[in-house]
């Protein structure tokens, strides 16, 4: 797993501004850390070694308060930028995910579990909050603060700097080893959550059928089993997170203790002055802290990273290639030996279909289920590309036309029409959002739906439930 996935920079532009802001704020924070260490050393040396009173130390004390306030301000600005960036990135990723799913079309969607896609677009994208709010800010600090702190320590005491240089890489090494184990478990945890979401949605959608056959309660046991597996996977991941945090804390504590012991020994033997010793002693933990926090926050961001992998898999799936040609005015359709093969099937779904439809002609496709009627319509809609043969519109290949403009010329009523939660008028306006009330009434009248819509309490403004709940199957088809 890369510290910063380059695909985030490509698909979420807000990430770029955020990374720049994190680096700038990290530099400011590093400067304040160094200033704070020097002021603390100056106050302690002045009070205990030189005997200064409060009036003599007023300036460094006031500066110390100002530096502490500055660190608080930098921390607040970093968190503010993180949450703003997180909101922008989540919005952008959700929009891109929906756009790509629409571009891939029904053929791709039919092979996906809708519950898993819903979990990916909601819980999965939301899990990136911790990545931006916790992990990335600490990563920025881990790049800037240790370098700045080491640069300051080496000018004061090269021995302590050498100890830090030797021990500091051990923390990233342990982080990588722990990260490998954590990522594999988080991937499994996310797959279980996705499976649970998809299964639960399927059960809820099919509850009426399950009730009819007396199988509703039996599904509760299945959901209980998947939930238990998800709980156990979560606890295993938390166990690793707790143990890894302990290991990183122990390693950092021992490293700081080693620096402190060497400073103490040299202070006793007069080889180091108190001011230098205090500056190094205050700065040493600050060199380890950001890197240690990166390891601790990695676990909070791991779920989001696992979900991001699946999001990028969808975004990187190439949609069917379409053309840019203008759609002809007259629509003479020709299918010339069109064959379509679906993955995983030995026989073609549509085998060498040849058909010509003249403008104004009405054609009925009849035959038993499974001979390719729906597949043929998907080819005409541009949702399925033929493996062999060609589809022509007035002599021009359908693949060369702008498919969005082509679909604007088509009216289509599927076997199972989907209505969205909203009013009847909003569903009628789906393809023409700017249609006025008169146009809506005309459309309802042309479809034979005006009479039953007018009989409803609120007419076209009647609110429908999910998937047109409140209407019969025939009424949904007319809408």
């Amino acid at each position: 797993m890369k510290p910063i996935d380059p695909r985030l920079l490509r698909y979420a532009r807000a990430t770029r501004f955020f990374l720049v802001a994190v680096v700038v704020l990290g530099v400011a924070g590093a400067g304040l850390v160094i200033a704070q260490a020097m002021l603390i050393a100056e106050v302690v040396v002045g009070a205990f070694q030189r005997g200064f009173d409060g009036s003599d130390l007023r300036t460094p004390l006031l500066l110390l308060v100002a530096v502490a306030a500055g660190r608080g301000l930098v921390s607040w600005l970093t968190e503010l930028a993180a949450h703003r960036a997180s909101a922008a990135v989540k919005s952008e990723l959700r929009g891109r995910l929906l756009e790509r799913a629409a571009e891939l079309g029904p053929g791709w969607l039919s092979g996906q579990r809708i519950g898993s896609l819903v979990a990916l677009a909601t819980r999965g994208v939301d899990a990136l909050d911790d990545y931006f709010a916790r992990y990335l800010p600490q990563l920025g600090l881990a790049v800037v603060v240790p370098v700045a702190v080491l640069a300051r320590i080496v000018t004061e005491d090269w021995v302590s700097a050498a100890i830090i240089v030797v021990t500091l890489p051990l923390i990233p090494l342990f982080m990588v080893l722990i990260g490998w184990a954590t990522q594999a478990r988080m991937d499994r945890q996310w797959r279980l959550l996705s499976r649970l979401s998809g299964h639960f949605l399927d059960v809820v959608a099919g509850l009426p059928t399950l009730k009819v056959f007396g199988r509703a309660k039996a599904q509760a046991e299945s959901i209980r089993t998947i939930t238990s597996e998800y709980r156990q996977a979560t606890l295993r991941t938390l166990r690793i997170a707790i143990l890894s945090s302990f290991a990183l804390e122990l390693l950092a504590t021992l490293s700081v203790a080693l620096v402190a012991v060497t400073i103490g020994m040299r202070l006793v033997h007069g080889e180091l002055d108190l001011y230098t010793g205090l500056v190094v002693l205050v700065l040493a933990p600050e060199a380890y802290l950001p890197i240690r926090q990166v390891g601790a926050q990695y676990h909070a961001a791991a779920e989001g990273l696992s979900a991001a992998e699946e999001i990028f898999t969808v975004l990187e799936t190439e949609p069917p290639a379409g053309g840019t040609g203008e759609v002809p005015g007259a629509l003479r359709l020709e299918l010339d030996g069109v064959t379509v093969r679906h993955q995983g099937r030995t026989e073609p779904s549509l085998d060498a279909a040849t058909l010509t439809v003249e403008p104004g002609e009405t054609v009925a496709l009849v035959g038993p289920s499974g001979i390719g009627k729906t597949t043929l319509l998907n080819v005409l809609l541009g949702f399925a590309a033929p493996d062999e043969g060609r589809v022509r519109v007035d002599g021009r290949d359908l693949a060369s036309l702008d498919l969005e403009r082509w679909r604007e010329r088509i009216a289509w009523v599927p076997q199972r029409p989907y209505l969205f939660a909203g009013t009847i008028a909003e569903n009628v306006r789906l393809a023409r959002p700017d249609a006025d009330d008169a146009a809506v009434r005309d459309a309802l009248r042309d479809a034979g739906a005006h009479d039953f819509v007018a009989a409803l309490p609120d007419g076209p403004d009647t609110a429908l439930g999910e998937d047109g709940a409140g209407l019969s199957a025939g009424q949904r088809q007319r809408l």
Side-chain angles (χ1 to χ4, degrees):
M1 205 289 295
K2 302 178 182 67
I4 301 175
D5 197 318
R7 291 173 294 184
L8 271 175
L9 303 179
R10 186 162 70 251
Y11 292 115
R13 296 173 184 171
T15 310
R16 303 173 188 176
F17 167 78
F18 172 64
L19 290 176
V20 172
V22 164
V23 171
V24 171
L25 291 170
V27 171
L32 292 171
V33 165
I34 294 171
Q36 186 179 47
M38 295 172 63
L39 288 169
I40 289 174
E42 185 177 342
V43 169
V44 172
V45 170
F48 291 96
Q49 194 174 57
R50 299 173 185 168
F52 291 165
D53 57 15
S55 59
D56 298 323
L57 297 173
R58 182 183 295 111
T59 300
L61 286 172
L62 290 176
L63 288 174
L64 187 59
V65 171
V67 168
R71 290 191 67 180
L73 178 63
V74 168
S75 177
W76 177 76
L77 288 174
T78 303
E79 191 155 338
L80 178 65
H83 285 291
R84 291 283 179 87
S86 176
V89 169
K90 289 192 299 181
S91 178
E92 191 170 354
L93 283 179
R94 280 200 180 99
R96 286 180 177 271
L97 193 62
L98 183 60
E99 287 174 5
R100 182 48 56 93
E103 290 173 357
L104 292 170
W108 178 82
L109 284 170
S110 62
Q112 308 296 314
R113 292 193 65 139
I114 299 302
S116 299
L117 286 176
V118 170
L120 188 62
T122 52
R123 170 71 182 270
V125 176
D126 281 336
L128 287 171
D129 263 334
D130 287 331
Y131 179 81
F132 283 95
R134 300 182 185 181
Y135 178 70
L136 274 188
Q138 285 299 329
L139 194 62
L141 294 176
V143 172
V144 176
V145 173
V147 174
V149 168
L150 269 174
R152 183 67 184 89
I153 291 177
V154 77
T155 61
E156 296 285 350
D157 180 22
W158 68 269
V159 175
S160 298
I163 295 173
I164 294 174
V165 168
V166 170
T167 57
L168 197 61
L170 295 177
I171 297 179
L173 177 62
F174 274 87
M175 282 168 48
V176 170
L177 296 175
I178 294 167
W180 283 343
T182 304
Q183 190 61 40
R185 292 182 181 274
M186 283 305 306
D187 289 343
R188 182 174 184 273
Q189 180 185 351
W190 174 253
R191 286 194 299 270
L192 285 170
L193 177 61
S194 181
R195 176 182 161 205
L196 175 62
S197 301
H199 188 70
F200 187 75
L201 183 62
D202 289 343
V203 169
V204 171
L207 202 54
T209 305
L210 292 170
K211 288 287 288 183
V212 168
F213 289 96
R215 298 298 300 168
K217 291 184 178 179
Q219 287 299 319
E221 183 60 33
S222 175
I223 291 176
R224 190 176 294 112
T225 301
I226 302 174
T227 304
S228 178
E229 291 177 3
Y230 176 67
R231 175 181 57 81
Q232 291 172 8
T234 302
L235 289 175
R236 282 193 291 268
T237 306
L238 286 174
R239 192 180 301 121
I240 290 180
I242 293 170
L243 290 175
S244 64
S245 296
F246 171 75
L248 295 178
E249 290 283 347
L250 180 63
L251 186 61
T253 301
L254 292 175
S255 300
V256 172
L258 188 60
V259 173
V261 168
T262 58
I263 289 175
M265 294 296 293
R266 284 181 293 158
L267 282 174
V268 169
H269 292 90
E271 298 173 3
L272 194 70
D273 62 278
L274 181 60
Y275 176 83
T276 302
L278 285 173
V279 169
V280 174
L281 200 58
V282 173
L283 285 178
E286 298 290 346
Y288 295 96
L289 179 63
I291 299 179
R292 195 174 76 236
Q293 287 296 322
V294 168
Q297 300 302 341
Y298 173 81
H299 300 284
E303 183 180 1
L305 293 172
S306 297
E309 284 293 329
E310 293 198 24
I311 292 171
F312 295 138
T313 300
V314 175
L315 294 179
E316 291 172 354
T317 303
E318 290 298 324
T324 57
E326 291 293 328
V327 178
L331 299 179
R332 183 177 186 270
L333 294 177
E334 297 176 77
L335 276 74
D336 183 12
V338 172
T339 299
V340 178
R341 296 183 180 87
H342 285 114
Q343 189 174 2
R345 298 184 182 180
T346 56
E347 297 295 327
S349 301
L350 190 64
D351 191 7
T354 299
L355 173 68
T356 300
V357 183
E358 300 291 343
E361 185 179 0
T362 301
V363 175
L365 300 176
V366 297
S369 297
I371 65 167
K373 300 186 297 295
T374 301
T375 301
L376 188 148
L377 291 175
N378 281 334
V379 169
L380 291 177
L381 290 165
F383 293 141
D387 296 294
E388 298 175 14
R390 298 180 67 186
V391 181
R392 299 185 184 89
V393 180
D394 279 356
R396 302 174 62 183
D397 197 326
L398 178 61
S400 67
L401 303 181
D402 186 332
L403 292 180
E404 288 299 317
R405 303 285 81 79
W406 165 244
R407 290 174 189 139
E408 288 178 357
R409 304 288 298 275
I410 297 173
W412 178 52
V413 180
Q415 289 174 308
R416 294 184 59 193
Y418 187 90
L419 297 181
F420 295 88
T423 66
I424 289 176
E426 287 171 343
N427 277 280
V428 173
R429 288 190 177 101
L430 191 59
R432 281 181 54 195
D434 57 342
D436 57 21
D437 292 341
V440 171
R441 285 193 298 271
D442 290 342
L444 290 171
R445 192 173 289 109
D446 291 341
H450 184 269
D451 291 342
F452 74 79
V453 171
L456 295 172
D458 297 323
D461 294 326
T462 300
L464 301 178
E466 293 287 343
D467 199 13
L471 298 178
S472 69
Q475 290 172 335
R476 295 177 199 178
Q477 284 189 319
R478 291 195 177 277
L479 284 185

